[in-house]
Amino acid sequence: ILNVEQSPQSLHVQEGDSTNFTCSFPSSNFYALHWYRWETAKSPEALFVMTLNGDEKKKGRISATLNTKEGYSYLYIKGSQPEDSATYLCASAYYGGSQGNLIFGKGTKLSVKP
Amino acid sequence: DGGITQSPKYLFRKEGQNVTLSCEQNLNHDAMYWYRQDPGQGLRLIYYSQIVNDFQKGDIAEGYSVSREKKESFPLTVTSAQKNPTAFYLCASTGEIRGYTFGSGTRLTVV
């Protein structure tokens, strides 16, 4: 059974702090890594989809990197704001299965205090 | 605006009753998915469909059934055979490798 691990499980930071969290995934037959942001009472929102080793993507103050050889991705948030408070999910997809099927981690819950 | 609509938002089921959760998308996506979330757990795949009139079991399909008669619709039935149906259910769709588009979820409670 493929397992995607996210750490930490939860994180509390002050407004203005920069933070990062980790997603670890099996690297064999890897196809793609997805990051989602899930605010309470809303739908998860796609942040990034990465496929290539060394990929780095950025969206405003949020960026992500990918290492497919060792099976990890980092998500960075620069200068956290209260509106960044959410659960951040990562998910990986693999060759051999349906290419749309994702294996989700349990998420990192970020709380940003003003 | 294109998106996914799940209904109802909250659903209460009596023991032994079947209930159906609705999922409709107007994104012209081929693939649709049903996930279940329990406290402290990641999203777990129940069923998925890559194309109309075809669907496949996910990791936790027992006690659930689906249909895909139209591209836009992928309803999930929680049957009486599902022993622990209380959970949060998310529907998603994707057209290509751009990430999923999710619905807002249905919270099902057994009373």
Side-chain angles (χ1 to χ4, degrees):
Chain A
I1 295 177
L2 297 172
N3 208 27
V4 173
E5 301 283 347
Q6 289 188 248
S7 62
Q9 193 173 7
S10 64
L11 195 53
H12 298 264
V13 301
Q14 287 295 134
E15 182 176 355
D17 287 350
S18 292
T19 186
N20 66 85
F21 15 96
T22 306
C23 174
S24 300
F25 55 88
S27 54
S28 179
N29 294 322
F30 172 84
Y31 178 67
L33 192 285
H34 296 227
W35 280 101
Y36 292 87
R37 170 194 153 93
W38 194 0
E39 289 182 72
T40 303
K42 294 187 178 179
S43 309
E45 171 199 354
L47 287 174
F48 306 114
V49 180
M50 296 181 286
T51 56
L52 299 175
N53 186 44
D55 249 357
E56 190 167 334
K57 298 223 171 173
K58 191 173 180 181
K59 190 174 184 177
R61 293 178 292 98
I62 304 177
S63 60
T65 60
L66 179 67
N67 182 321
T68 61
K69 295 186 178 178
E70 296 181 42
Y72 64 84
S73 174
Y74 294 134
L75 188 79
Y76 301 92
I77 302 178
K78 186 176 177 183
S80 302
Q81 299 297 309
E83 57 265 31
D84 295 328
S85 297
T87 296
Y88 292 83
L89 296 174
C90 79
S92 55
Y94 295 87
Y95 289 105
S98 166
Q99 288 183 354
N101 287 6
L102 298 179
I103 314 297
F104 282 86
K106 295 179 182 179
T108 292
K109 186 172 183 178
L110 175 67
S111 299
V112 183
K113 290 185 179 178
Chain B
D1 282 340
I4 293 186
T5 302
Q6 284 188 244
S7 62
K9 193 167 182 178
Y10 299 96
L11 187 57
F12 297 90
R13 191 194 96 166
K14 292 182 181 178
E15 294 277 356
Q17 204 176 39
N18 290 359
V19 290
T20 298
L21 283 58
S22 169
C23 178
E24 304 277 331
Q25 54 102 355
N26 60 3
L27 299 163
N28 201 33
H29 284 170
D30 287 315
M32 296 186 75
Y33 305 82
W34 274 106
Y35 283 89
R36 168 181 171 140
Q37 189 191 40
D38 295 282
Q41 299 276 337
L43 296 174
R44 292 185 292 166
L45 183 64
I46 304 171
Y47 265 100
Y48 65 98
S49 169
Q50 298 288 331
I51 198 168
V52 174
N53 291 322
D54 185 55
F55 48 83
Q56 305 293 331
K57 291 182 179 180
D59 300 320
I60 54 165
E62 187 175 346
Y64 299 98
S65 65
V66 292
S67 62
R68 187 84 187 276
E69 296 175 5
K70 298 185 299 181
K71 190 175 188 178
E72 302 80 20
S73 179
F74 191 40
L76 174 74
T77 297
V78 185
T79 74
S80 56
Q82 172 48 241
K83 298 304 177 192
N84 186 21
T86 294
F88 185 72
Y89 292 86
L90 266 180
C91 178
S93 70
T94 185
E96 52 187 86
I97 190 166
R98 292 185 189 278
Y100 285 7
T101 300
F102 283 92
S104 54
T106 293
R107 186 165 296 281
L108 173 63
T109 304
V110 173
V111 295

